[in-house]
Amino acid sequence: MEEKKEETLLQQRKKALCFAPQNGYDRLEEGETAKISAYCDGYKTFLDEGKTERECVDYAIALARAAGFRPLVRGEKLQPGDKVYRNNRGKSLLLAVIGQESLDKGAVIGAAHIDSPRLDLKQNPLYEEKELAYCKTHYYGGIKKYQWTTIPLALHGLVVRRDGTQVTVRIGEDPGDPQFTVGDLLPHLAGDQAKKTMGAIVSAEQLNLFVGSRPFGSEEGGDRVKVAILDLLHEKYGMVEEDFLSAELMAVPAAKAVDIGLDRSVIGAYGQDDRVCAYACLKALLDLKQTPRRTAVCVLADKEEVGSLGVTGMQSAAFDIFMSDLCQGQGVALKACYETSFCLSADVTAAYDPNFAEAYEVRNSAFFNYGVCVSKYTGARGKSGASDASAEVVGLVRRVFGDNGVVWQLAELGKTDQGGGGTVACYMANRNIDTIDAGVPVLSMHAPFETTAKLDCYMAYKGMLALYHH
Ligand code: MN
Ligand code: MN
């Protein structure tokens, strides 16, 4: 028998007074490892099905309909337990489960974004140079451009033809599909390139998508490769070159979501910022077993990566109109609903990376496997652009998470003057809604292949579920 040593006074006082966070795996409840694994399987499917905001909306609607949601009809009377959604132009989605209490008691809102950095095709993309065909791209969101070279890419999007008919494009996802790539210079000849700074190693105008090299027919003439490519597009999609003008085509990483690590503790995939939080909010809403006390709302927003502007961004009135339609169904004023509402701006944060420790402030960083990360504020250089949640709001989240066995941590994004970032939080707070940031820590954020810890993914879901039920 081992003799139990008495705690010294220092040890006792340390235990009583000091904050000593533990790894999430030491804090899991009985049977939770299996729940994490099952949840993450569904999440990986969500990632593979939705590599663009349009695809995410389509897939989320399919899941919602299967869970009993129906499109909201303006002017209809709403009853507790009603499950409704509104598809905003195919690119953002608003869903709600009507609560037992009237909307003048406020809603609980989970807001995440479903757009991710990528390479958009320009409106006049296709050209031929030295008998190689390329498409010009204009990158979307904040990327390290060099990371998007020499990886397999897939082409997703929508083409609106001259006659108004629409064609959905998804090339490079099915087994045997062709894929695409952006080239980089071989190291043997990179003498000059090596002297350039990161942003210039590969310039925006070098991010040209290779699409083909075989010339059309045997006649002599220019642009034979380009014509051959157009011929293929015409055959498959009935489109002509001019149709690119009214198309939204985007090159996204072709890789599927996979487990990473011998222990499979991590997920590697494109677009986890912010589909990891989008899936958490959506799944929590769909999984509500009983009618929540307050109306539960899930927002899957577009355009966060470029400032949340436009009709499908979080600054759009589309959100206000949806909420006002819900309020009207109960004869409640929108402003009364907003001022008592609560919003979790669910977006990813930077996980501490031991390989780049110099960019982080270790005492206030988020760590893999320490759970969903609450951030009191975001912003950059002196909290500029931040929606700084009040101590009261942090206190509320702390209480709800603590009472419901949610593994969570509180951190900010990197060293104070190293950079920074923003989320949709400020646009919700500006509406007079108490808002706080929380999300999953990500490594290699905005890279074509981002990683998250499965435990943290699951805790984002568990946290959102606890808030919806609160
Ligand atoms: Mn994000
Ligand atoms: Mn982002």
Side-chain angles (χ1 to χ4, degrees), residues 88-139:
N88 180 12
R89 298 167 170 90
K91 293 185 176 197
S92 84
L93 185 64
L94 304 135
L95 309 102
V97 176
I98 307 303
Q100 295 163 21
E101 289 181 354
S102 153
L103 272 158
D104 60 7
K105 297 280 181 347
V108 177
I109 304 158
H113 67 94
I114 48 175
D115 60 316
S116 296
R118 61 187 186 233
L119 303 180
D120 284 346
L121 260 55
K122 293 191 185 189
Q123 299 321 120
N124 267 309
L126 187 62
Y127 69 99
E128 176 178 334
E129 181 122 16
K130 288 280 173 257
E131 291 160 276
L132 299 175
Y134 292 96
C135 282
K136 296 294 297 176
T137 70
H138 190 137
Y139 64 93

Side-chain angles (χ1 to χ4, degrees), residues 4 26 73 142 147 153 196 204 240 247 255 257-258 261 272 308 354 371 374-375 378 419 429 438 446 456 463:
K4 206 166 179 217
D26 297 326
V73 180
Q147 291 182 331
L153 296 165
K196 292 183 179 171
V240 294
V258 291
Q272 299 205 66
S308 297
V374 175
S375 294
T378 58
H446 283 207
D456 305 333

Side-chain angles (χ1 to χ4, degrees), residues 176-246:
D177 264 10
Q179 297 179 345
F180 309 90
T181 196
V182 172
D184 192 5
L185 190 58
L186 63 168
H188 317 63
L189 297 179
D192 290 337
Q193 189 191 35
K195 292 177 198 135
K196 292 183 179 171
T197 52
M198 185 178 76
I201 290 171
V202 176
S203 71
E205 300 307 339
Q206 286 174 319
L207 291 175
N208 300 318
L209 193 71
F210 174 82
V211 293
S213 69
R214 188 188 301 161
F216 180 86
S218 53
E219 267 175 72
E220 283 198 24
D223 276 351
R224 288 169 67 210
V225 177
K226 174 179 165 176
V227 169
I229 293 296
L230 282 169
D231 211 38
L232 286 169
L233 288 172
H234 188 257
E235 194 184 305
K236 191 162 164 119
Y237 299 112
M239 67 179 283
V240 294
E241 188 178 15
E242 195 181 341
D243 292 329
F244 280 119
L245 296 177
S246 49

Side-chain angles (χ1 to χ4, degrees), residues 113 115 117 273-274 304-305 347-348 422 445-446 450:
H113 67 94
D115 60 316
D273 171 9
D274 183 35
E304 192 278 341
E305 295 295 357
D347 205 344
V348 297
M445 196 195 294
H446 283 207
E450 305 172 310

